[in-house]
Amino acid sequence: MTEDHRLNATFAALADPTRRAILARLASGEVAVNELAQPFDISLPAVSKHLKVLEGAGLISRGRDAQRRPCRLEAAALKDAVDWLERYRKLWDERLDGLGVYLRDLQRKEKRNVRRKK
């Protein structure tokens, strides 16, 4: 899977609030599918579809333990998305810092102009 494909799959998976809630729940540890489904007002097959999307994006893994089907968060899969976002965070921090400097300069000039007019 290419980096672009992984990023697309990750962001598509994270776009859904139910899937984000599932990931938040799994951040606390391994949970069986039936337990994951309990807080949601959706069917077990619908939860399974969400899990397939998360698994396809590499964000979770599913196991089999007798009758129990445990799911676990694969946090390392989020690293590519975090790295991608970090590049843009740095860019916007730099731009906002530059805007702050520009605005301070404008305020200083405005204060000087007001003093001169008095």
Side-chain angles (χ1 to χ4, degrees):
M1 188 182 299
T2 67
E3 182 181 353
D4 278 350
H5 185 66
R6 275 194 313 271
L7 277 174
N8 290 344
T10 298
F11 286 122
L14 294 174
D16 185 273
T18 300
R19 291 192 286 266
R20 290 192 307 270
I22 289 169
L23 291 176
R25 174 64 180 89
L26 291 173
S28 300
E30 190 175 274
V31 179
V33 172
N34 287 336
E35 294 173 55
L36 275 175
Q38 287 174 353
F40 301 106
D41 192 23
I42 57 177
S43 67
L44 193 55
V47 170
S48 288
K49 286 181 183 180
H50 284 296
L51 294 175
K52 284 180 185 177
V53 171
L54 292 168
E55 190 174 29
L59 297 171
I60 68 165
S61 59
R62 294 196 277 182
R64 178 176 250 151
D65 182 18
Q67 295 296 322
R68 192 169 179 267
R69 305 251 189 268
C71 296
R72 72 187 56 80
L73 178 66
E74 297 296 337
L78 290 170
K79 185 173 180 352
D80 289 337
V82 169
D83 291 345
W84 186 86
L85 290 167
E86 182 63 21
R87 286 191 304 254
Y88 289 94
R89 186 194 63 78
K90 286 179 182 176
L91 172 74
W92 283 107
D93 281 350
E94 290 170 8
R95 288 183 179 181
L96 290 173
D97 288 347
L99 179 60
V101 169
Y102 175 74
L103 291 174
R104 281 191 297 279
D105 288 345
L106 278 180
Q107 288 173 336
R108 285 185 197 124
K109 288 177 185 176
E110 183 65 29
K111 285 180 183 178
R112 277 185 285 206
N113 287 338
V114 168
R115 283 188 213 133
R116 287 182 188 153
K117 291 180 182 179
K118 287 184 179 181

